[in-house]
Amino acid sequence: MESTTSIVLYPSLGMGHLISMVELGKFILRHQPSFSIIILTLPPLLSTSSADDYIRHISATVPSITFHHLPAISADLDSFPSIEAFLFELLRLYNPHIHDALETISRSATIAAFVIDFFCTTALPIAIQLHIPTYYFITSGAHFSAFFVYLTEIDRTTTKSFKDMNTLLHVPGVPPIPSSDVFRPLLDRTTTDYENFMNVSINLPNSAGILINTFESLEPKPLKAMREGKCNPYGHTPPVFCVGPLLAAQSVDEVRHDCLKWLDNQPSKTVVYICFGSAGLLLAAQLKEIADGLERSGHRFLWVVRSPPEEKGELILGPSEPGLDALLPAGFVERTKDRGLMVKSWAPQVAVLNHEAVGGFVTHCGWNSTLEAVCASVPMAAWPLYAEQHFNRVLLTEELGLAVRVEMAEDGFVGAEEVEKRVRELMDGDSKKGEEIRKVVGEKSEEARAAMAEGGSSVSTLGELLNLWNSA
Protein backbone atom coordinates (compact mmCIF):
# COMPACT_ATOMS: atom_id res chain seq x y z
CA MET A 1 0.00 0.00 0.00
CA GLU A 2 1.31 3.46 -0.93
CA SER A 3 2.54 5.52 2.03
CA THR A 4 0.73 8.75 2.75
CA THR A 5 2.58 12.04 3.14
CA SER A 6 2.20 13.71 6.51
CA ILE A 7 3.17 17.03 8.03
CA VAL A 8 3.62 16.72 11.80
CA LEU A 9 3.00 19.85 13.87
CA TYR A 10 4.18 20.27 17.46
CA PRO A 11 2.59 23.23 19.30
CA SER A 12 3.58 24.41 22.75
CA LEU A 13 1.16 24.53 25.67
CA GLY A 14 -1.63 27.09 25.52
CA MET A 15 -4.70 27.53 23.37
CA GLY A 16 -3.10 30.33 21.36
CA HIS A 17 -0.25 28.07 20.27
CA LEU A 18 -2.59 25.17 19.50
CA ILE A 19 -5.00 27.31 17.47
CA SER A 20 -2.14 28.85 15.46
CA MET A 21 -0.82 25.40 14.57
CA VAL A 22 -4.28 24.22 13.58
CA GLU A 23 -4.70 27.26 11.32
CA LEU A 24 -1.33 26.46 9.74
CA GLY A 25 -2.56 22.92 9.15
CA LYS A 26 -5.75 24.20 7.52
CA PHE A 27 -3.72 26.55 5.30
CA ILE A 28 -1.57 23.64 4.13
CA LEU A 29 -4.60 21.43 3.43
CA ARG A 30 -6.37 24.12 1.40
CA HIS A 31 -3.50 24.03 -1.06
CA GLN A 32 -2.38 20.39 -0.72
CA PRO A 33 -5.44 18.33 0.29
CA SER A 34 -3.59 15.06 -0.33
CA PHE A 35 -1.40 15.67 2.72
CA SER A 36 -2.42 14.55 6.19
CA ILE A 37 -1.77 16.82 9.16
CA ILE A 38 -0.85 15.21 12.49
CA ILE A 39 -0.70 17.46 15.55
CA LEU A 40 1.12 16.32 18.68
CA THR A 41 -0.84 17.57 21.67
CA LEU A 42 0.22 18.05 25.26
CA PRO A 43 -2.20 17.65 28.17
CA PRO A 44 -3.50 21.07 29.31
CA LEU A 45 -1.88 22.68 32.36
CA LEU A 46 -5.20 23.68 33.83
CA SER A 47 -8.22 21.44 34.32
CA THR A 48 -10.31 22.96 31.56
CA SER A 49 -12.42 21.44 28.86
CA SER A 50 -11.77 24.23 26.32
CA ALA A 51 -8.84 22.48 24.63
CA ASP A 52 -10.68 19.14 24.52
CA ASP A 53 -13.79 20.80 23.07
CA TYR A 54 -11.71 22.61 20.46
CA ILE A 55 -9.86 19.43 19.44
CA ARG A 56 -13.17 17.53 19.12
CA HIS A 57 -14.55 20.33 16.95
CA ILE A 58 -11.52 20.30 14.63
CA SER A 59 -11.54 16.49 14.42
CA ALA A 60 -15.20 16.57 13.39
CA THR A 61 -14.91 19.39 10.85
CA VAL A 62 -11.41 18.84 9.37
CA PRO A 63 -10.91 15.06 9.15
CA SER A 64 -7.51 15.44 7.45
CA ILE A 65 -6.19 16.85 10.73
CA THR A 66 -5.63 14.20 13.38
CA PHE A 67 -4.31 14.60 16.91
CA HIS A 68 -1.66 12.40 18.50
CA HIS A 69 -2.17 12.82 22.25
CA LEU A 70 1.00 12.66 24.30
CA PRO A 71 0.75 11.11 27.79
CA ALA A 72 0.59 13.22 30.93
CA ILE A 73 3.86 13.86 32.76
CA SER A 74 4.01 14.84 36.40
CA ALA A 75 5.83 18.11 37.06
CA ASP A 76 5.52 20.58 39.94
CA LEU A 77 4.99 24.10 38.61
CA ASP A 78 5.69 25.62 42.04
CA SER A 79 9.25 24.28 42.05
CA PHE A 80 10.28 26.42 39.06
CA PRO A 81 11.25 30.11 39.15
CA SER A 82 8.95 31.00 36.24
CA ILE A 83 6.30 29.59 33.95
CA GLU A 84 8.85 29.69 31.10
CA ALA A 85 11.36 27.61 33.06
CA PHE A 86 8.63 25.10 33.84
CA LEU A 87 7.54 24.96 30.21
CA PHE A 88 11.02 24.35 28.82
CA GLU A 89 11.70 21.59 31.35
CA LEU A 90 8.33 19.97 30.68
CA LEU A 91 8.97 19.97 26.94
CA ARG A 92 12.42 18.47 27.53
CA LEU A 93 10.83 15.67 29.57
CA TYR A 94 8.57 14.95 26.60
CA ASN A 95 11.51 14.18 24.29
CA PRO A 96 11.27 10.36 24.63
CA HIS A 97 7.56 10.57 23.77
CA ILE A 98 8.29 12.82 20.77
CA HIS A 99 10.87 10.30 19.55
CA ASP A 100 8.36 7.44 19.91
CA ALA A 101 5.58 9.44 18.21
CA LEU A 102 7.73 10.32 15.19
CA GLU A 103 8.91 6.73 14.83
CA THR A 104 5.33 5.42 15.11
CA ILE A 105 4.04 7.88 12.50
CA SER A 106 6.97 7.06 10.18
CA ARG A 107 5.92 3.40 10.02
CA SER A 108 2.68 4.25 8.20
CA ALA A 109 3.45 7.60 6.55
CA THR A 110 6.26 9.64 5.04
CA ILE A 111 6.91 12.62 7.29
CA ALA A 112 7.73 15.36 4.79
CA ALA A 113 8.18 18.00 7.51
CA PHE A 114 8.14 18.36 11.27
CA VAL A 115 7.04 21.88 12.29
CA ILE A 116 7.84 22.81 15.88
CA ASP A 117 6.72 25.70 18.01
CA PHE A 118 9.36 28.24 19.05
CA PHE A 119 9.27 26.81 22.61
CA CYS A 120 9.70 23.19 21.45
CA THR A 121 13.34 23.61 20.50
CA THR A 122 14.49 20.57 22.50
CA ALA A 123 12.75 18.37 19.89
CA LEU A 124 15.02 19.57 17.06
CA PRO A 125 17.94 17.17 17.74
CA ILE A 126 15.50 14.23 17.86
CA ALA A 127 14.12 15.03 14.41
CA ILE A 128 17.61 15.59 12.99
CA GLN A 129 18.63 12.19 14.35
CA LEU A 130 15.61 10.65 12.59
CA HIS A 131 16.46 12.54 9.35
CA ILE A 132 13.18 14.45 9.36
CA PRO A 133 13.29 18.02 7.92
CA THR A 134 12.35 20.30 10.81
CA TYR A 135 11.03 23.84 10.67
CA TYR A 136 10.34 26.39 13.38
CA PHE A 137 6.94 28.09 13.47
CA ILE A 138 7.15 31.57 15.05
CA THR A 139 3.74 32.72 16.27
CA SER A 140 5.07 36.26 16.68
CA GLY A 141 6.33 38.51 13.90
CA ALA A 142 9.40 38.92 11.71
CA HIS A 143 10.92 41.66 13.89
CA PHE A 144 10.77 39.28 16.86
CA SER A 145 12.25 36.49 14.73
CA ALA A 146 15.12 38.70 13.56
CA PHE A 147 15.88 39.65 17.16
CA PHE A 148 16.09 36.00 18.19
CA VAL A 149 18.31 35.04 15.26
CA TYR A 150 20.60 37.95 16.28
CA LEU A 151 20.48 37.17 20.03
CA THR A 152 23.60 35.00 19.94
CA GLU A 153 25.54 37.94 18.50
CA ILE A 154 24.27 40.27 21.25
CA ASP A 155 25.24 37.69 23.85
CA ARG A 156 28.70 37.32 22.30
CA THR A 157 29.43 41.05 22.30
CA THR A 158 27.96 42.11 25.66
CA THR A 159 28.39 41.19 29.31
CA LYS A 160 25.56 43.05 31.03
CA SER A 161 21.97 41.88 31.41
CA PHE A 162 19.45 43.72 29.24
CA LYS A 163 17.86 45.16 32.38
CA ASP A 164 21.16 46.88 33.26
CA MET A 165 22.27 48.07 29.81
CA ASN A 166 20.18 51.26 29.64
CA THR A 167 20.84 51.59 25.92
CA LEU A 168 19.27 51.17 22.50
CA LEU A 169 19.79 47.81 20.81
CA HIS A 170 20.56 47.87 17.09
CA VAL A 171 19.38 44.67 15.45
CA PRO A 172 19.60 44.42 11.63
CA GLY A 173 16.23 45.22 10.09
CA VAL A 174 14.71 46.25 13.44
CA PRO A 175 14.24 49.82 14.73
CA PRO A 176 16.36 50.75 17.77
CA ILE A 177 14.85 48.92 20.74
CA PRO A 178 15.37 50.07 24.35
CA SER A 179 17.19 47.26 26.15
CA SER A 180 14.47 47.33 28.82
CA ASP A 181 11.84 46.53 26.17
CA VAL A 182 13.18 43.14 25.04
CA PHE A 183 11.38 39.86 25.62
CA ARG A 184 10.65 39.90 29.38
CA PRO A 185 12.25 36.53 30.28
CA LEU A 186 15.54 37.68 28.70
CA LEU A 187 16.07 40.72 30.90
CA ASP A 188 18.40 38.95 33.37
CA ARG A 189 21.17 36.90 31.72
CA THR A 190 21.89 35.00 34.95
CA THR A 191 18.54 33.19 34.89
CA THR A 192 17.47 29.80 33.58
CA ASP A 193 15.02 31.61 31.29
CA TYR A 194 17.86 33.45 29.55
CA GLU A 195 19.76 30.20 29.08
CA ASN A 196 16.70 28.45 27.66
CA PHE A 197 15.92 31.19 25.16
CA MET A 198 19.57 31.43 24.17
CA ASN A 199 19.28 27.75 23.31
CA VAL A 200 16.41 28.63 20.96
CA SER A 201 18.58 31.27 19.28
CA ILE A 202 21.45 28.79 18.90
CA ASN A 203 19.17 26.12 17.41
CA LEU A 204 17.20 28.27 14.95
CA PRO A 205 19.97 28.22 12.31
CA ASN A 206 20.11 24.40 12.49
CA SER A 207 16.53 24.03 11.22
CA ALA A 208 15.39 23.52 7.64
CA GLY A 209 13.50 26.81 7.71
CA ILE A 210 11.63 29.38 9.77
CA LEU A 211 7.89 29.86 9.24
CA ILE A 212 6.53 33.17 10.55
CA ASN A 213 2.93 34.21 11.11
CA THR A 214 3.23 37.47 9.17
CA PHE A 215 3.09 38.72 5.58
CA GLU A 216 5.81 40.19 3.40
CA SER A 217 4.61 43.79 3.11
CA LEU A 218 3.96 44.20 6.84
CA GLU A 219 7.57 43.63 7.92
CA PRO A 220 9.89 43.86 4.89
CA LYS A 221 12.99 45.20 6.70
CA PRO A 222 13.64 42.33 9.16
CA LEU A 223 12.78 39.77 6.50
CA LYS A 224 15.39 41.28 4.17
CA ALA A 225 17.98 41.41 6.97
CA MET A 226 17.48 37.77 7.89
CA ARG A 227 17.55 36.56 4.29
CA GLU A 228 20.76 38.47 3.64
CA GLY A 229 22.37 36.77 6.65
CA LYS A 230 22.84 40.03 8.58
CA CYS A 231 21.18 38.68 11.72
CA ASN A 232 23.59 35.75 11.94
CA PRO A 233 26.79 37.23 10.53
CA TYR A 234 29.04 34.33 11.57
CA GLY A 235 26.71 31.47 10.79
CA HIS A 236 23.96 30.05 8.59
CA THR A 237 20.44 31.44 8.29
CA PRO A 238 17.84 28.96 7.04
CA PRO A 239 15.15 30.01 4.55
CA VAL A 240 12.45 32.29 6.00
CA PHE A 241 8.82 31.77 4.97
CA CYS A 242 5.94 34.18 5.66
CA VAL A 243 2.74 32.14 5.97
CA GLY A 244 0.32 34.62 7.53
CA PRO A 245 -1.78 36.16 8.70
CA LEU A 246 -3.10 32.90 10.15
CA LEU A 247 -6.17 33.68 12.23
CA ALA A 248 -8.89 31.50 13.70
CA ALA A 249 -12.22 31.59 11.89
CA GLN A 250 -15.27 33.02 13.62
CA SER A 251 -17.36 30.33 15.32
CA VAL A 252 -21.12 29.98 15.59
CA ASP A 253 -20.97 30.72 19.34
CA GLU A 254 -19.20 34.00 18.61
CA VAL A 255 -21.86 35.09 16.15
CA ARG A 256 -24.51 34.68 18.85
CA HIS A 257 -22.63 36.42 21.66
CA ASP A 258 -24.66 39.13 23.42
CA CYS A 259 -21.94 41.78 23.06
CA LEU A 260 -22.34 41.60 19.27
CA LYS A 261 -26.03 42.34 19.61
CA TRP A 262 -25.11 45.38 21.70
CA LEU A 263 -22.65 46.50 19.03
CA ASP A 264 -25.42 46.22 16.42
CA ASN A 265 -27.10 49.20 18.10
CA GLN A 266 -24.01 51.47 18.10
CA PRO A 267 -23.07 53.91 15.32
CA SER A 268 -20.28 53.04 12.90
CA LYS A 269 -16.67 53.31 14.20
CA THR A 270 -17.70 54.84 17.55
CA VAL A 271 -16.80 52.05 20.01
CA VAL A 272 -13.36 51.50 21.52
CA TYR A 273 -12.69 47.87 22.44
CA ILE A 274 -10.49 47.18 25.49
CA CYS A 275 -9.01 43.72 26.01
CA PHE A 276 -5.67 42.49 27.39
CA GLY A 277 -5.65 38.93 26.09
CA SER A 278 -6.41 35.62 27.75
CA ALA A 279 -3.55 35.87 30.27
CA GLY A 280 -3.46 39.61 30.91
CA LEU A 281 -4.53 40.40 34.46
CA LEU A 282 -4.58 43.89 35.99
CA LEU A 283 -4.60 45.03 39.59
CA ALA A 284 -7.88 46.27 41.06
CA ALA A 285 -6.46 49.81 41.30
CA GLN A 286 -5.61 49.70 37.58
CA LEU A 287 -9.13 48.62 36.66
CA LYS A 288 -10.50 51.66 38.49
CA GLU A 289 -8.15 53.96 36.56
CA ILE A 290 -9.30 52.48 33.26
CA ALA A 291 -12.92 53.01 34.27
CA ASP A 292 -12.26 56.64 35.21
CA GLY A 293 -10.40 57.25 31.96
CA LEU A 294 -13.14 55.72 29.83
CA GLU A 295 -15.80 57.75 31.61
CA ARG A 296 -13.83 60.98 31.13
CA SER A 297 -13.26 60.27 27.44
CA GLY A 298 -16.97 60.37 26.67
CA HIS A 299 -16.57 57.62 24.06
CA ARG A 300 -18.55 54.43 23.69
CA PHE A 301 -16.67 51.34 24.85
CA LEU A 302 -16.76 47.56 25.02
CA TRP A 303 -14.47 46.38 27.82
CA VAL A 304 -13.48 42.80 28.67
CA VAL A 305 -13.03 42.83 32.46
CA ARG A 306 -11.20 40.03 34.21
CA SER A 307 -10.71 39.61 37.95
CA PRO A 308 -7.35 40.89 39.22
CA PRO A 309 -4.58 38.58 40.47
CA GLU A 310 -4.23 38.06 44.19
CA GLU A 311 -0.74 39.56 44.22
CA LYS A 312 1.07 41.94 41.90
CA GLY A 313 2.78 40.24 39.00
CA GLU A 314 1.01 36.88 39.28
CA LEU A 315 -0.45 35.39 36.15
CA ILE A 316 -3.16 33.32 37.80
CA LEU A 317 -6.84 33.12 37.05
CA GLY A 318 -9.13 35.08 39.31
CA PRO A 319 -12.79 34.20 39.84
CA SER A 320 -14.49 33.39 36.56
CA GLU A 321 -17.23 35.95 37.19
CA PRO A 322 -15.74 39.26 38.36
CA GLY A 323 -18.04 41.41 40.50
CA LEU A 324 -18.13 44.61 38.46
CA ASP A 325 -19.74 46.81 41.10
CA ALA A 326 -17.03 45.85 43.61
CA LEU A 327 -14.13 46.17 41.17
CA LEU A 328 -15.07 49.43 39.46
CA PRO A 329 -15.72 52.93 40.84
CA ALA A 330 -19.01 53.41 42.68
CA GLY A 331 -21.84 54.06 40.24
CA PHE A 332 -19.67 53.60 37.14
CA VAL A 333 -21.75 50.77 35.66
CA GLU A 334 -24.97 52.73 36.06
CA ARG A 335 -23.54 56.05 34.81
CA THR A 336 -22.10 54.53 31.64
CA LYS A 337 -24.83 52.01 30.82
CA ASP A 338 -26.03 53.99 27.79
CA ARG A 339 -22.62 54.09 26.07
CA GLY A 340 -20.57 51.26 27.55
CA LEU A 341 -20.70 47.51 28.00
CA MET A 342 -18.53 45.40 30.28
CA VAL A 343 -18.07 41.76 29.31
CA LYS A 344 -16.88 39.38 32.02
CA SER A 345 -13.66 37.49 31.25
CA TRP A 346 -14.04 36.78 27.52
CA ALA A 347 -15.39 38.21 24.26
CA PRO A 348 -15.32 36.86 20.68
CA GLN A 349 -12.44 39.12 19.67
CA VAL A 350 -12.29 38.40 15.94
CA ALA A 351 -16.02 39.05 15.60
CA VAL A 352 -15.81 42.18 17.76
CA LEU A 353 -12.93 43.70 15.81
CA ASN A 354 -14.69 43.02 12.52
CA HIS A 355 -17.92 44.67 13.67
CA GLU A 356 -18.78 47.92 11.92
CA ALA A 357 -19.29 49.74 15.24
CA VAL A 358 -15.71 49.22 16.48
CA GLY A 359 -13.29 52.03 15.68
CA GLY A 360 -10.37 51.43 18.06
CA PHE A 361 -8.66 48.75 20.13
CA VAL A 362 -6.75 49.14 23.41
CA THR A 363 -4.50 46.08 23.28
CA HIS A 364 -1.72 44.32 25.19
CA CYS A 365 0.23 44.04 21.90
CA GLY A 366 0.10 40.25 21.65
CA TRP A 367 0.92 39.28 18.07
CA ASN A 368 -2.33 37.40 17.41
CA SER A 369 -4.33 40.41 18.61
CA THR A 370 -2.17 42.69 16.47
CA LEU A 371 -2.83 40.65 13.34
CA GLU A 372 -6.54 40.45 14.13
CA ALA A 373 -6.71 44.24 14.42
CA VAL A 374 -4.74 44.75 11.20
CA CYS A 375 -6.96 42.36 9.27
CA ALA A 376 -10.07 44.08 10.64
CA SER A 377 -8.59 47.53 9.85
CA VAL A 378 -8.84 48.72 13.46
CA PRO A 379 -6.27 51.22 14.84
CA MET A 380 -4.71 50.37 18.19
CA ALA A 381 -3.57 51.89 21.47
CA ALA A 382 -0.51 49.89 22.58
CA TRP A 383 -0.48 48.91 26.27
CA PRO A 384 1.97 45.99 26.77
CA LEU A 385 2.01 43.75 29.84
CA TYR A 386 4.48 40.85 29.49
CA ALA A 387 6.45 38.51 27.15
CA GLU A 388 7.44 40.26 23.87
CA GLN A 389 4.67 42.87 24.14
CA HIS A 390 6.91 45.83 25.07
CA PHE A 391 9.05 44.95 22.06
CA ASN A 392 5.92 44.85 19.88
CA ARG A 393 4.80 48.26 21.16
CA VAL A 394 7.96 49.87 19.71
CA LEU A 395 7.18 48.31 16.34
CA LEU A 396 3.49 49.21 16.34
CA THR A 397 3.99 52.83 17.36
CA GLU A 398 7.36 53.86 15.94
CA GLU A 399 8.01 51.57 12.98
CA LEU A 400 4.70 50.35 11.56
CA GLY A 401 2.48 53.32 12.47
CA LEU A 402 -0.43 51.12 13.55
CA ALA A 403 -0.93 52.34 17.12
CA VAL A 404 -0.69 55.21 19.60
CA ARG A 405 1.63 54.58 22.54
CA VAL A 406 0.13 54.29 26.03
CA GLU A 407 2.66 55.82 28.42
CA MET A 408 3.10 54.09 31.76
CA ALA A 409 4.98 54.46 35.02
CA GLU A 410 8.10 52.42 35.68
CA ASP A 411 6.00 49.75 37.41
CA GLY A 412 3.62 49.59 34.43
CA PHE A 413 0.79 51.55 36.05
CA VAL A 414 -1.34 53.79 33.80
CA GLY A 415 -3.38 56.65 35.22
CA ALA A 416 -6.89 57.69 34.23
CA GLU A 417 -5.64 60.84 32.49
CA GLU A 418 -3.43 58.76 30.19
CA VAL A 419 -6.29 56.35 29.43
CA GLU A 420 -8.56 59.29 28.54
CA LYS A 421 -5.85 60.94 26.42
CA ARG A 422 -5.08 57.85 24.35
CA VAL A 423 -8.72 56.90 23.81
CA ARG A 424 -9.42 60.42 22.58
CA GLU A 425 -6.31 60.37 20.38
CA LEU A 426 -7.48 57.10 18.85
CA MET A 427 -11.20 57.85 18.53
CA ASP A 428 -11.75 61.59 18.13
CA GLY A 429 -12.65 62.49 14.58
CA ASP A 430 -10.38 65.55 14.59
CA SER A 431 -7.34 63.66 15.92
CA LYS A 432 -4.53 63.97 13.36
CA LYS A 433 -2.64 61.05 14.90
CA GLY A 434 -5.75 58.86 14.87
CA GLU A 435 -6.42 59.71 11.25
CA GLU A 436 -2.84 58.81 10.25
CA ILE A 437 -3.11 55.44 11.98
CA ARG A 438 -6.50 54.70 10.42
CA LYS A 439 -5.01 55.32 6.99
CA VAL A 440 -2.02 53.02 7.57
CA VAL A 441 -4.01 50.21 9.16
CA GLY A 442 -6.51 50.37 6.28
CA GLU A 443 -3.70 49.91 3.77
CA LYS A 444 -2.19 47.01 5.71
CA SER A 445 -5.58 45.36 6.04
CA GLU A 446 -5.91 45.29 2.25
CA GLU A 447 -2.37 43.93 1.94
CA ALA A 448 -3.11 41.19 4.48
CA ARG A 449 -6.11 40.02 2.47
CA ALA A 450 -4.09 40.12 -0.73
CA ALA A 451 -1.30 38.04 0.85
CA MET A 452 -3.73 35.20 1.62
CA ALA A 453 -5.59 35.39 -1.69
CA GLU A 454 -4.75 33.17 -4.66
CA GLY A 455 -1.44 34.36 -6.07
CA GLY A 456 -0.71 36.41 -2.95
CA SER A 457 2.68 36.47 -1.24
CA SER A 458 1.84 34.05 1.60
CA VAL A 459 0.10 31.61 -0.74
CA SER A 460 3.07 31.71 -3.12
CA THR A 461 5.42 31.12 -0.19
CA LEU A 462 3.36 28.13 0.91
CA GLY A 463 3.67 26.85 -2.67
CA GLU A 464 7.47 26.91 -2.28
CA LEU A 465 7.18 24.89 0.93
CA LEU A 466 4.81 22.39 -0.67
CA ASN A 467 7.26 21.87 -3.52
CA LEU A 468 9.97 21.10 -0.98
CA TRP A 469 7.75 18.75 0.98
CA ASN A 470 6.44 16.95 -2.10
CA SER A 471 9.99 16.14 -3.12
CA ALA A 472 10.97 14.91 0.36
Side-chain angles (χ1 to χ4, degrees):
M1 189 168 70
E2 186 178 349
S3 175
T4 60
T5 300
S6 295
I7 309 297
V8 180
L9 310 180
Y10 183 22
S12 178
L13 278 171
M15 284 296 292
H17 293 267
L18 175 60
I19 290 171
S20 292
M21 279 290 194
V22 168
E23 292 304 317
L24 175 61
K26 290 180 182 177
F27 187 38
I28 293 168
L29 288 173
R30 281 199 295 273
H31 298 275
Q32 186 76 55
S34 63
F35 279 177
S36 67
I37 304 294
I38 300 172
I39 301 180
L40 308 182
T41 59
L42 301 162
L45 265 179
L46 301 172
S47 55
T48 173
S49 62
S50 58
D52 290 339
D53 291 344
Y54 174 75
I55 288 171
R56 279 194 292 269
H57 170 73
I58 296 300
S59 297
T61 55
V62 191
S64 292
I65 294 180
T66 59
F67 295 88
H68 183 104
H69 300 286
L70 300 169
I73 289 179
S74 177
D76 181 12
L77 176 59
D78 294 334
S79 66
F80 290 87
S82 69
I83 185 67
E84 289 85 7
F86 168 79
L87 180 57
F88 275 109
E89 177 60 15
L90 184 69
L91 292 168
R92 186 190 67 78
L93 292 173
Y94 267 102
N95 277 354
H97 299 292
I98 298 302
H99 186 279
D100 292 347
L102 292 175
E103 280 201 324
T104 299
I105 294 167
S106 295
R107 293 189 194 109
S108 59
T110 299
I111 301 179
F114 182 40
V115 182
I116 62 175
D117 187 275
F118 175 82
F119 283 92
C120 300
T121 193
T122 56
L124 179 63
I126 296 170
I128 291 174
Q129 178 191 347
L130 295 173
H131 307 291
I132 299 172
T134 303
Y135 299 75
Y136 278 88
F137 177 48
I138 312 294
T139 54
S140 196
H143 285 87
F144 177 81
S145 304
F147 173 83
F148 258 91
V149 173
Y150 193 69
L151 180 60
T152 51
E153 178 66 9
I154 298 175
D155 181 79
R156 187 184 69 83
T157 56
T158 60
T159 57
K160 288 184 178 181
S161 293
F162 287 117
K163 65 183 179 65
D164 300 321
M165 287 183 184
N166 192 29
T167 188
L168 291 175
L169 300 173
H170 297 277
V171 177
V174 177
I177 298 288
S179 53
S180 58
D181 278 348
V182 303
F183 191 45
R184 302 284 95 180
L186 285 175
L187 286 175
D188 187 347
R189 72 189 295 157
T190 68
T191 62
T192 303
D193 287 343
Y194 184 89
E195 180 183 347
N196 284 329
F197 283 108
M198 272 300 304
N199 191 41
V200 176
S201 181
I202 291 167
N203 274 305
L204 276 168
N206 299 327
S207 66
I210 302 171
L211 281 61
I212 309 176
N213 190 9
T214 191
F215 54 100
E216 292 283 342
S217 62
L218 181 64
E219 304 179 87
K221 293 178 184 178
L223 291 168
K224 183 173 186 288
M226 281 189 285
R227 287 165 177 160
E228 291 179 349
K230 293 178 180 178
C231 296
N232 191 19
Y234 300 105
H236 166 69
T237 302
V240 176
F241 303 94
C242 295
V243 293
L246 296 171
L247 301 175
Q250 184 175 305
S251 71
V252 174
D253 290 340
E254 291 180 350
V255 174
R256 296 173 179 170
H257 197 280
D258 286 344
C259 73
L260 300 175
K261 299 174 185 176
W262 180 83
L263 286 171
D264 289 340
N265 295 318
Q266 311 307 315
S268 174
K269 307 300 181 190
T270 60
V271 176
V272 60
Y273 171 58
I274 306 99
C275 182
F276 296 93
S278 58
L281 302 179
L282 301 174
L283 298 174
Q286 183 65 85
L287 295 176
K288 287 183 168 62
E289 293 294 313
I290 294 174
D292 283 342
L294 289 174
E295 188 168 6
R296 293 182 190 184
S297 77
H299 282 284
R300 291 177 170 84
F301 63 87
L302 172 60
W303 179 15
V304 178
V305 181
R306 302 182 69 218
S307 293
E310 293 178 4
E311 296 180 14
K312 188 173 183 178
E314 287 189 6
L315 287 180
I316 57 173
L317 293 177
S320 59
E321 286 292 326
L324 297 180
D325 288 328
L327 285 175
L328 305 179
F332 171 79
V333 175
E334 178 64 24
R335 290 193 303 274
T336 61
K337 65 180 182 181
D338 292 332
R339 62 180 178 86
L341 179 68
M342 277 71 70
V343 177
K344 296 180 179 182
S345 301
W346 180 86
Q349 183 158 291
V350 172
V352 167
L353 289 171
N354 281 279
H355 198 286
E356 175 62 25
V358 173
F361 179 22
V362 179
T363 173
H364 64 314
C365 306
W367 191 247
N368 277 343
S369 291
T370 296
L371 289 179
E372 287 165 0
V374 168
C375 290
S377 192
V378 177
M380 290 166 272
W383 182 337
L385 298 180
Y386 55 90
E388 85 281 21
Q389 294 162 12
H390 289 78
F391 181 96
N392 288 345
R393 176 177 63 173
V394 177
L395 309 178
L396 293 175
T397 59
E398 298 175 25
E399 175 75 0
L400 302 180
L402 298 169
V404 299
R405 179 187 176 99
V406 175
E407 300 292 348
M408 53 188 62
E410 194 170 320
D411 64 356
F413 196 77
V414 178
E417 296 85 356
E418 178 67 8
V419 174
E420 176 190 4
K421 180 179 180 180
R422 299 310 167 191
V423 169
R424 287 184 177 276
E425 190 175 24
L426 199 61
M427 300 296 294
D428 283 356
D430 59 353
S431 166
K432 183 179 179 181
K433 183 68 173 176
E435 183 58 35
E436 290 173 353
I437 293 172
R438 281 189 286 276
K439 180 177 183 294
V440 173
V441 78
E443 292 170 352
K444 294 304 174 186
S445 177
E446 292 180 7
E447 292 171 11
R449 285 192 292 272
M452 295 298 280
E454 201 61 42
S457 60
S458 293
V459 173
S460 297
T461 296
L462 179 65
E464 295 174 27
L465 279 167
L466 295 176
N467 287 336
L468 288 171
W469 297 343
N470 276 309
S471 62

